[in-house]
């Protein structure tokens, strides 16, 4: 069994309107242009917002379910209650000159898991500490961290110890990633094990136009240039990489549950030719015959939302694993887009310039897509026409991550973070694929163009959709 990176990619969620400047706006602000103590205040405020989101997510879980393991490949929910705080503590403690007061907990809650060889964790709920002990540990370390960051001494000097604030950015985004991936776990928890939350109203059913868009040849700029005063990015986002992309055609809309139902009904899961060897082994050994968000109900299909079971919503994007998306694309005589093609369709323009977001330079708002914790579930494809790219491709950012056919690998010039060397490098193994875009539970700050997400090809619980390309 391997340790996993990121939080996320093993992990959690929150809720609540952001206050003041959006995360995205802050993230792209030039740190050098902000007075240090002001920047310390901003980062501290963002850390508090992220903590509020994680706290609210744990409130979704009924107390009797906190030691459940909704996803066999992941830790029990209780682990994440300690992990979100232990990660911050392990990252920030030494730079701030603080000493450990519970080394056993520091280690127990240090890392999530992401087994790639099929081994599953075997621990029992009794193996984990009592909730009160974990909450005491969390409170004590938060008090110490907060005092060291802002509560005493010279804020500027404190910030300097944290690499000018970069370590706080890591703590914030790590927590927000868990805010999303913990949601994947809680989605699999039976409805009766959760407290329902308010659901925003449905959006009007969209009219769908042209379904296939031609993208002319052009340049796609991936990644970020490495600059001392540049915006925050994780190690795998550096350095900038310009790719010349030949012309191709791409689906303007994501593949829907309705589209995918045809694939299921026409025997897609029984057609060996559509699946790689590893994918076939996985779906047959797990008797996986339809998307994990679907429920087979005799002759009809239902769908598992976060807090209910509903008739299969045919116009929502289908959430599937990379293996399933690839098999569908093969069945349709198409392919998944490469990471560079996806960039080109999302950020390229007919004039040749590239945009920060598919819709332009404006920071993400609820008019542009389904993201930043506004909803718990997807909406019908094409519901956000104001979020379309210049080429008219819809829903590229939000409503579910998008699978690419590109294995997760470093860009030229990659250097791991010295304080978190395994965040990306542990996953450059050809067994993970890049996802782009964002889901309903992706924080606005991680909707930036350079952000890369990745998962194993058969992990079926991710909020990941797809579209196809033709060459
Ligand atoms: Fe983590």
């Amino acid at each position: 069994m391997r340790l996993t990176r990121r939080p996320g990619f093993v992990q959690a969620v929150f809720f609540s309107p952001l206050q003041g400047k959006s995360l995205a706006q802050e993230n792209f602000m030039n740190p050098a242009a902000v007075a240090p103590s002001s920047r310390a205040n901003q980062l501290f405020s963002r850390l508090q917002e992220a903590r509020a989101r994680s706290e609210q997510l744990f409130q979704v879980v009924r107390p009797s379910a906190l030691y459940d393991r909704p996803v066999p490949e992941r830790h029990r929910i209780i682990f994440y209650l300690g992990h979100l705080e232990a990660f911050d503590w392990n990252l920030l403690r030494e730079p701030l000159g603080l000493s450990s007061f519970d080394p056993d907990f520091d280690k127990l809650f240090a890392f999530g898991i992401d087994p790639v060889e099929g081994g599953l964790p075997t621990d029992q709920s009794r193996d984990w500490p009592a909730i009160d002990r974990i909450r005491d540990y969390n409170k004590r370390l938060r008090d110490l961290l907060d005092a060291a960051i802002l509560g005493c001494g010279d804020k500027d000097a404190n910030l300097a110890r944290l690499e000018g604030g970069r370590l706080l950015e890591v703590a914030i985004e790590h927590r927000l990633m868990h805010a999303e991936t913990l949601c994947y776990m809680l989605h699999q928890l039976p409805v009766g094990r959760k407290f329902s939350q308010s659901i925003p109203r449905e959006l009007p059913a969209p009219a769908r136009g042209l379904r296939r868009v031609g993208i002319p040849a052009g340049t796609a700029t991936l990644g970020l240039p490495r600059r001392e005063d540049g915006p925050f990015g994780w190690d795998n986002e550096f350095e900038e990489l310009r790719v010349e992309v030949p012309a191709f055609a791409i689906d303007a809309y994501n593949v829907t549950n309705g589209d995918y139902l045809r694939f299921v009904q026409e025997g897609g899961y029984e057609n060996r030719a559509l699946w790689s060897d590893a994918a076939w082994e996985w779906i047959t050994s797990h008797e996986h015959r339809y998307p994990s968000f679907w429920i087979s109900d005799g002759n009809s299909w239902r769908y598992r939302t976060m807090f209910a079971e509903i008739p299969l919503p045919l116009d929502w994007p289908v959430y599937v694993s990379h293996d399933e998306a690839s098999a569908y694309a093969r069945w349709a005589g198409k392919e998944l887009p490469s990471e560079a093609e996806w960039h080109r369709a999302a950020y390229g323009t007919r004039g040749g310039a590239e945009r920060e977001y598919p819709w332009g330079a404006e920071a993400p708002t609820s008019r542009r897509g389904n993201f930043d914790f506004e909803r718990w579930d997807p909406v019908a494809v094409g519901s956000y026409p104001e979020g379309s790219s210049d080429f008219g491709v819809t829903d590229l950012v939000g409503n579910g991550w998008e699978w690419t056919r590109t294995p997760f690998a470093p860009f030229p010039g990659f250097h791991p973070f010295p304080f978190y060397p395994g965040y990306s490098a542990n996953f450059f193994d050809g067994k993970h694929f890049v996802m782009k875009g964002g889901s309903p539970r992706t924080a606005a700050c991680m909707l930036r163009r350079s952000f890369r997400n990745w998962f194993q090809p058969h992990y079926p619980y991710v909020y990941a959709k797809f579209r196809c390309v033709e060459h």
Side-chain angles (χ1 to χ4, degrees), residues 97 216 222 236 277 343 461:
L222 287 61
N236 65 70
D277 291 348
H343 263 259
Y461 307 117

Side-chain angles (χ1 to χ4, degrees), residues 5-8 10-11 83 87 112 174 178 420:
R5 83 208 203 227
R6 61 229 209 98
V10 183
Q11 327 32 8
H83 173 64
F87 179 91
H174 170 266
H178 274 289
Y420 196 172

Side-chain angles (χ1 to χ4, degrees), residues 61-75:
V61 183
R62 291 186 182 271
S64 60
L66 274 169
Y67 288 80
D68 287 5
R69 190 201 304 280
V71 171
E73 294 90 343
R74 295 292 187 255
H75 272 316

Side-chain angles (χ1 to χ4, degrees), residues 62-98:
R62 291 186 182 271
S64 60
L66 274 169
Y67 288 80
D68 287 5
R69 190 201 304 280
V71 171
E73 294 90 343
R74 295 292 187 255
H75 272 316
R76 296 171 187 279
I77 296 168
I78 192 70
F79 164 81
Y80 299 95
L81 187 66
H83 173 64
L84 295 181
E85 311 307 324
F87 179 91
D88 292 359
W89 180 241
N90 290 333
L91 177 72
L92 306 173
R93 183 178 70 238
E94 287 188 11
L96 290 170
L98 300 169

